Amino acid sequence: MKSFLFVFITVLFYPLFTNAQENNQKPDYLNTDLSFETRVNDLVSRMTLEEKVSQMIDAAKPVERLGIPEYNWWNECLHGVARAGTATVFPQAIALAATFNTGLMFEIADVISTEARAKYNDSSAKGDFGRYKGLTFWTPNINIFRDPRWGRGQETYGEDPYLTAQMGVSFVKGLQGNDPKYLKLVATPKHYAVHSGPESSRHTFDAITGNRDLYTTYLPAFKACVEEGNAWSVMCAYNRYMGKACCGSDDLLKEILRKDWGFKGYIVSDCGAIADIYQNHKIEKTAPEAAALALKSGTDLNCGRVYDPALLEAVKQGLITEAELDVSVKRLFLARFKLGMFDPPQMVPFSKIPVSENDSEEHRKLALKAAQESIVLLKNSGNILPLKKDLKKIAVIGPTADSYDMLLGNYNGTPSRYTTPLKGISMKMEGKAEVVFEQGCNLVEEGPILNPIKTEMVSFEGKSGLKMEYFKETELRGEPFYSEISEMGDESWIQFRRIPGLERGMKYSIRWTGKLTMPVSGDIQFTVTGNGGYRLFIDNKLIIEDWTDHQDATTKSNHIQLEKGKSYDLKAEFFQATGFPRLSIQWDIYNADHFKNAVELAKKSDAVIFVGGITARLEGEEMRVDYDGFSGGDRTKINLPKVQEDL
């Protein structure tokens, strides 16, 4: 009986003993002695179909049983690490192109990649793998900028294919580094191809060109970035080209990109471009059909939510095979292996970059150098420049003279310090001439001039900024689930970034508290614009309120007497239940005639420096606000806004 029992137990548990023995051996995908390709093949072979598909969207899910952490492929660094807090902010891309300096462009990209690695090392050590915390960057934008009305032209290197190619190659090389084994970052030239606006029709537009225009205008920069720069990723565009969706075109993706140019990396869709295939372009009827078309054409990663679960349904319907899907999954994991994500940190040279490398003094000096080299003098009528040395009074006038937003462009990071034209002129002329300022007008519309409340105007317990607290639900009850000291310097009080614990669709409320110190005395008018409930208190007195839930923004104003240099308690509250959150709180002197003041100031000055133009709040990507001269992010005409011309 004992012998029988012993034999029975041995046979019953033999598979467990075998698995335990196998588990003591390192799987091939973790064996750093093997090639990346061998390791990737081993890893993908262990994954279920559902697990594979979960890796093919921008917010890739963790596969804990295989030790695969979550990863967000969406990161931006057009002219500095963007949307990830403080970083060195370089001139906008169109300004960098004006330097005509490819060596400088490489230096800039190298600095950006260093700061990106520093941020990634810090975030991943804390287990934070959210958006804008990764190593795969969706830049540079190497589309050709031939129509000055296109709002995203600022992101490009201009109208010339050769200059765009050379700048693009330098940028890609600087981002990806020159290590023989590991990539420092992944660069993603975009938007492939023939994608240069307008913004309003980018999801439906069919670009039509002849072959000569395609190969001499729109493809050279992409070809150079792939063949010379060895870009490891390319982003396919929203639009169609010659009737085919760019993210579902065999001609663009298979024949030209992979076959003709030898591209070995992965292709990512622009955000929502796979949905466009069936919802807007009407090329396919269903999500599974659109996903199958994109995958078969070579689009490996979907920024959006079509691939998961539509690819599962596509396999089920026989539209694609799991083997075809494996090709894309392997490309994606090869990139992550080449970034060192599955190797011990001590093996990856870039894992040692400390967070102190971010926004260093050396990096800021390079940004200054880039700004100096990017300046272009278009006209100097009557040799008015340089200004005379014996000026006694200089009037600085214009809506962007002291503007933080004007400095940034779009797809920007947050500078730790900045100098507006007004500040720069004042510092330069200190002790030499009196510098006086009057804004004169708004950017595009008549009416009160709305000045942002800047960081230097507010404080909380001696620290610059305001205390910002996030609460669950809409009535600011209980303990906040997130709080920080929030710097201002931006028209929008609700920053475009990820808040820990804030989930999509969640109802929430925010409270800001601190001290407000006005830079002027007078009857100060405060203006609040928001599309959720809002209220503003000064010294515990409620002065503005619209505590209702509304998706369309409302604007309310009120005025109160305040003294220059005196500190007042400030409290602002906001709740968001539906729609896209928006809140701005601005100020002006009540009933001030800034236009008249500017004219009078100019009459009394020896020289007038007018600083005008627009900001990325008017011109950019598929924007929702229209004004005279601007629609959907594009310009409708190229002259200055009328109110500025009048001034």
Side-chain angles (χ1 to χ4, degrees):
M1 186 67 176
K2 290 180 181 179
S3 298
F4 175 80
L5 185 61
F6 175 78
V7 171
F8 176 79
I9 292 174
T10 302
V11 172
L12 181 66
F13 285 92
Y14 179 76
L16 295 182
F17 297 151
T18 304
N19 286 342
Q21 187 177 31
E22 289 179 351
N23 287 339
N24 287 330
Q25 297 175 353
K26 185 182 296 184
D28 282 353
Y29 72 88
L30 293 178
N31 186 346
T32 57
D33 293 331
L34 301 176
S35 69
F36 286 147
E37 289 77 8
T38 300
R39 296 169 66 188
V40 166
N41 290 338
D42 177 63
L43 177 59
V44 175
S45 72
R46 297 170 184 267
M47 299 175 70
T48 67
L49 177 61
E50 290 76 12
E51 288 169 342
K52 294 172 186 175
V53 170
S54 75
Q55 303 302 297
M56 300 178 71
I57 58 176
D58 58 284
K61 301 169 186 174
V63 183
E64 294 177 359
R65 69 181 187 88
L66 296 174
I68 301 173
E70 68 172 304
Y71 181 68
N72 200 300
W73 295 82
W74 189 343
N75 304 278
E76 305 285 357
C77 66
L78 181 66
H79 53 117
V81 181
R83 302 174 178 175
T86 299
T88 304
V89 180
F90 292 91
Q92 179 60 291
I94 193 69
L96 292 176
T99 68
F100 286 80
N101 189 336
T102 55
L104 177 64
M105 183 65 105
F106 178 87
E107 285 186 73
I108 290 168
D110 183 49
V111 162
I112 292 171
S113 62
T114 294
E115 295 196 359
R117 269 286 177 173
K119 287 176 175 289
Y120 171 79
N121 294 341
D122 183 58
S123 296
S124 58
K126 299 172 182 175
D128 184 355
F129 298 98
R131 184 180 291 179
Y132 311 132
K133 306 291 179 63
L135 295 174
T136 46
F137 283 81
W138 295 351
T139 195
N141 184 341
I142 54 172
N143 293 134
I144 299 301
F145 184 26
R146 287 279 171 91
D147 189 327
R149 296 173 298 176
W150 184 33
R152 297 189 73 180
Q154 61 178 294
E155 300 176 28
T156 74
Y157 302 133
E159 76 278 7
D160 183 68
Y162 180 76
L163 177 64
T164 298
Q166 296 306 304
M167 288 297 192
V169 167
S170 292
F171 201 79
V172 168
K173 287 183 175 180
L175 289 186
Q176 295 194 160
N178 56 8
D179 187 84
K181 182 175 182 179
Y182 294 102
L183 291 167
K184 195 176 183 184
L185 301 181
V186 165
T188 307
K190 63 183 184 184
H191 310 80
Y192 183 72
V194 197
H195 181 84
S196 300
E199 286 299 291
S200 60
S201 58
R202 65 182 187 170
H203 297 281
T204 57
F205 183 65
D206 187 10
I208 305 295
T209 73
N211 262 359
R212 177 175 179 177
D213 206 18
L214 176 67
Y215 279 93
T216 61
T217 302
Y218 296 105
L219 294 187
F222 285 99
K223 184 175 188 289
C225 285
V226 169
E227 293 186 341
E228 299 174 44
N230 295 312
W232 203 254
S233 176
V234 168
M235 177 179 282
C236 51
Y238 286 119
N239 57 282
R240 282 169 286 157
Y241 175 66
M242 303 299 287
K244 297 180 180 180
C246 289
C247 291
S249 170
D250 286 352
D251 295 336
L252 288 177
L253 305 184
K254 281 186 174 180
E255 294 299 316
I256 297 175
L257 183 57
R258 294 200 184 276
K259 182 180 176 182
D260 295 349
W261 299 346
F263 177 65
K264 302 299 183 185
Y266 67 89
I267 298 169
V268 56
S269 78
D270 207 340
C271 297
I274 308 302
D276 284 342
I277 293 174
Y278 72 99
Q279 291 178 347
N280 295 317
H281 296 308
K282 309 295 184 183
I283 292 172
E284 300 290 356
K285 294 181 179 179
T286 67
E289 289 172 335
L293 173 65
L295 183 83
K296 282 178 173 289
S297 298
T299 302
D300 307 298
L301 181 67
N302 172 206
C303 179
R305 296 295 178 268
V306 174
Y307 271 11
D308 188 5
L311 284 177
L312 296 173
E313 186 61 30
V315 173
K316 182 178 178 181
Q317 294 179 16
L319 301 173
I320 56 171
T321 66
E322 187 170 355
E324 289 175 309
L325 189 141
D326 284 352
V327 173
S328 288
V329 178
K330 289 177 181 178
R331 288 176 185 149
L332 296 176
F333 273 108
L334 182 56
R336 292 181 68 177
F337 272 85
K338 289 176 75 67
L339 287 164
M341 293 182 180
F342 292 87
D343 288 356
Q346 60 269 25
M347 292 185 63
V348 185
F350 313 116
S351 67
K352 302 177 182 67
I353 298 175
V355 73
S356 58
E357 284 288 315
N358 180 56
D359 188 42
S360 68
E361 184 62 31
E362 182 182 359
H363 294 175
R364 288 194 292 268
K365 286 179 180 178
L366 184 64
L368 177 60
K369 178 183 178 182
Q372 291 166 338
E373 290 200 21
S374 73
I375 294 170
V376 178
L377 177 62
L378 297 180
K379 194 174 183 180
N380 192 18
S381 297
N383 292 319
I384 194 170
L385 295 177
L387 291 176
K388 296 177 181 178
K389 303 294 185 182
D390 59 351
L391 299 175
K392 300 292 188 244
K393 187 173 186 177
I394 299 174
V396 180
I397 294 172
T400 54
D402 199 31
S403 168
Y404 171 81
D405 288 334
M406 179 274 290
L407 299 172
L408 297 178
N410 67 353
Y411 282 92
N412 59 283
T414 302
S416 60
R417 62 186 76 170
Y418 63 93
T419 303
T420 64
L422 174 63
K423 290 179 182 176
I425 294 166
S426 298
M427 289 188 294
K428 181 73 174 177
M429 301 309 297
E430 187 174 4
K432 301 173 185 176
E434 180 187 4
V435 176
V436 291
F437 169 64
E438 175 55 69
Q439 184 170 323
C441 68
N442 289 305
L443 287 177
V444 290
E445 56 191 348
E446 296 180 0
I449 290 178
L450 302 179
N451 304 294
I453 294 176
K454 300 179 180 180
T455 297
E456 55 261 35
M457 296 170 59
V458 291
S459 63
F460 180 80
E461 295 182 352
K463 297 180 180 179
S464 296
L466 294 173
K467 184 178 183 181
M468 178 176 63
E469 300 172 293
Y470 276 75
F471 299 82
K472 293 182 178 179
E473 296 303 327
T474 60
E475 291 299 328
L476 303 116
R477 296 193 187 100
E479 292 296 317
F481 67 84
Y482 177 79
S483 66
E484 67 170 27
I485 305 300
S486 174
E487 293 193 350
M488 315 314 289
D490 194 317
E491 180 186 316
S492 173
W493 281 37
I494 303 176
Q495 301 296 323
F496 183 55
R497 58 189 172 84
R498 177 168 170 159
I499 298 294
L502 183 60
E503 300 173 358
R504 187 187 297 270
M506 187 174 110
K507 296 180 180 181
Y508 63 94
S509 48
I510 313 172
R511 177 185 291 129
W512 292 264
T513 51
K515 295 286 187 180
L516 170 68
T517 305
M518 290 302 300
V520 297
S521 295
D523 193 6
I524 307 300
Q525 176 168 293
F526 289 92
T527 300
V528 181
T529 299
N531 61 350
Y534 56 79
R535 50 197 176 205
L536 175 65
F537 300 81
I538 302 293
D539 266 0
N540 297 315
K541 178 182 178 182
L542 178 62
I543 64 169
I544 296 176
E545 180 178 31
D546 184 355
W547 201 248
T548 61
D549 184 26
H550 45 277
Q551 291 195 48
D552 294 328
T554 63
T555 297
K556 291 187 177 294
S557 299
N558 198 359
H559 52 100
I560 184 173
Q561 285 286 340
L562 300 177
E563 296 180 25
K564 179 180 179 180
K566 184 176 178 181
S567 293
Y568 301 87
D569 289 326
L570 181 148
K571 180 172 69 173
E573 296 177 336
F574 173 84
F575 80 82
Q576 180 70 19
T578 56
F580 189 82
R582 179 188 174 193
L583 180 75
S584 66
I585 303 178
Q586 297 163 300
W587 67 275
D588 187 25
I589 297 176
Y590 184 59
N591 276 343
D593 190 339
H594 295 282
F595 197 98
K596 180 181 178 181
N597 293 344
V599 173
E600 291 301 316
L601 201 62
K603 289 178 180 178
K604 299 173 183 177
S605 301
D606 300 315
V608 178
I609 300 175
F610 180 83
V611 189
I614 59 173
T615 76
R617 294 193 174 280
L618 295 170
E619 182 183 55
E621 183 176 5
E622 203 177 33
M623 297 170 71
R624 299 172 176 83
V625 180
D626 290 352
Y627 291 96
D628 178 38
F630 302 90
S631 179
D634 293 324
R635 298 173 186 245
T636 56
K637 49 193 176 185
I638 61 173
N639 51 316
L640 278 174
K642 184 178 183 303
V643 68
Q644 293 189 46
E645 288 195 338
D646 290 344
L647 179 60

